[in-house]
Amino acid sequence: MATKEYTMAEVKQHIDSKSSWFVIHNSVYDVTAFLNEHPGGEEVLLEQAGRNASEAFEDVGHSSDAREMMLKYKVGELVESERQPVNEKGPHSWSNESADQNNGGSSWTSWLIPVTLGLLATILYRFYVSSAQASH
Ligand code: HEM
C-alpha cells in the first residue's frame, strides 16, 4: 500500500485531544490514542500538535524504544514539496561523535600554527638584535 501524503495545512487541522497530529522528520503521526500513554505527559504532545515537532522530539533525547513506539502512530508522510532536511540524532549519534573527534584533531593543528609563528618571531627578533649589536 502506498504511503499516504499530507500537507502541513492538513496536519494543522488536528490540534486538540480529540485528534492530534504532528510531524517528526517528515513523517505524520496521529498521537490521539497515545496522549494518555506518553511518559512525558499529554501537554507536551498537545503543544506540538499541528506542528513540526522534530526539534522538540530530538531535544528530549528520546530512547530507541520511543523511536520504535512512534511507528505505531505513523499515518503517512509530508508531501514532497513541504519536506525538510532531517537532522536526526539518537541511534546514529555515534557518527556525529566521530565527526567531533575529527574536529578535535583539527584543533590540535590550530594551536600548532600560532606556536610556530611565535617561534619564528623569536628567531627573527634574536637575529635582529644580534645584527643590530654587530653594526655598533
Ligand atoms: C510519537 C511520538 C513520541 C513518542 C512515541 C514518545 C515516547 C516517549 C517515551 C517512550 C518516553 C520515555 C523516555 C524515553 O524512552 O525516551 C518519552 C518521554 C518524554 N517525551 Fe516523548 N514521545 C513522542 C513525542 C514527543 C514530543 C513531540 C515531545 C515534545 C516535547 C515529547 C516530550 C517528551 C518529554 C518531555 C519526555 C520526558 C523526558 C524525561 O522525563 O526525562 N515527546 N516520550
Side-chain angles (χ1 to χ4, degrees), residues 22 24 29 31 34 38-40 44-45 48 53 56-57 60-63 65-66 69-70 73:
F22 51 59
I24 295 176
Y29 297 90
V31 289
F34 182 60
H38 182 226
V44 287
L45 294 191
Q48 296 303 324
F57 179 82
V60 172
H62 280 89
S63 65
D65 272 1
M69 227 182 249
M70 289 166 78
Y73 303 100

Side-chain angles (χ1 to χ4, degrees), residues 119-136:
L119 272 173
L120 212 67
T122 312
I123 293 164
L124 279 176
Y125 177 73
R126 288 194 155 209
F127 180 75
Y128 170 77
V129 168
S130 62
S131 64
Q133 278 169 352
S135 69
H136 277 295

Side-chain angles (χ1 to χ4, degrees), residues 20-125:
S20 44
W21 292 13
F22 51 59
V23 173
I24 295 176
H25 302 322
N26 300 321
S27 293
V28 179
Y29 297 90
D30 175 354
V31 289
T32 319
F34 182 60
L35 290 175
N36 288 327
E37 292 171 37
H38 182 226
E42 67 175 327
E43 294 82 12
V44 287
L45 294 191
L46 284 172
E47 211 171 277
Q48 296 303 324
R51 302 161 93 177
N52 182 345
S54 311
E55 210 175 303
F57 179 82
E58 292 299 352
D59 282 351
V60 172
H62 280 89
S63 65
S64 47
D65 272 1
R67 284 159 208 273
E68 240 168 70
M69 227 182 249
M70 289 166 78
L71 300 175
K72 243 171 76 183
Y73 303 100
K74 182 169 168 174
V75 289
E77 280 174 11
L78 268 189
V79 288
E80 188 127 19
S81 60
E82 292 186 10
R83 285 180 204 162
Q84 283 170 6
V86 172
N87 180 15
E88 199 177 342
K89 296 181 209 156
H92 308 293
S93 67
W94 49 267
S95 59
N96 292 338
E97 275 163 35
S98 67
D100 286 347
Q101 275 163 19
N102 288 344
N103 289 342
S106 69
S107 74
W108 185 82
T109 47
S110 70
W111 67 254
L112 199 70
I113 294 166
V115 167
T116 312
L117 284 176
L119 272 173
L120 212 67
T122 312
I123 293 164
L124 279 176
Y125 177 73

